[in-house]
Amino acid sequence: MPCRSLALNCLPCQPITGHVRAAVCATGWRAIAGLVARWRMNLAVKALRETNRTIDEIGRAIGYESAPSFSQAFTRLIGQAPGRYRRSLQPIGPTT
C-alpha cells in the first residue's frame, strides 16, 4: 500500500496509527510525496555542491535504488541532470 509506506517514511519518529495513515491517503498523499521528493532533491543539490561523492552514492544516500532512477527524478525536479548541474557549478577557465 503506497500510502502506508509513504506515511512511514515521512514520519519515522512518530508512531503511525491507522487514522493517520487514512488521513494521509484521503487528503493528498501526492502532495506529501511531492514535498518529500523536493526535500530529497535539496539534499542532493547540497551534496553535489559540497562533496565529491558520485552521482550513484548521492542517489543511494537519499533513497534511490539506482543512479538512473535518481538522475531521472533529479532532472524532472531540478531541470537538468545531476552531472550537468555539478559541472555548471565549476568555474570555466583560469581564474586570477
Side-chain angles (χ1 to χ4, degrees):
M1 177 178 193
C3 295
R4 181 171 186 265
S5 63
L6 178 62
L8 291 173
N9 288 334
C10 290
L11 303 169
C13 298
Q14 301 291 327
I16 304 300
T17 65
H19 176 72
V20 171
R21 218 174 293 131
V24 167
C25 291
T27 61
W29 66 269
R30 288 182 188 202
I32 293 170
L35 290 172
V36 170
R38 286 190 295 278
W39 174 70
R40 290 165 76 188
M41 287 308 136
N42 286 338
L43 293 175
V45 163
K46 181 176 177 161
L48 288 166
R49 279 194 322 249
E50 298 176 3
T51 73
N52 290 323
R53 295 170 74 186
T54 67
I55 303 298
D56 187 55
E57 289 172 334
I58 293 169
R60 288 183 189 279
I62 63 168
Y64 287 89
E65 293 183 10
S66 69
S69 61
F70 164 62
S71 185
Q72 183 180 26
F74 188 95
T75 301
R76 185 178 63 250
L77 291 169
I78 304 300
Q80 58 186 322
R84 185 174 188 189
Y85 176 84
R86 178 178 266 166
R87 286 188 301 276
S88 75
L89 300 172
Q90 297 172 355
I92 298 172
T95 58
T96 55

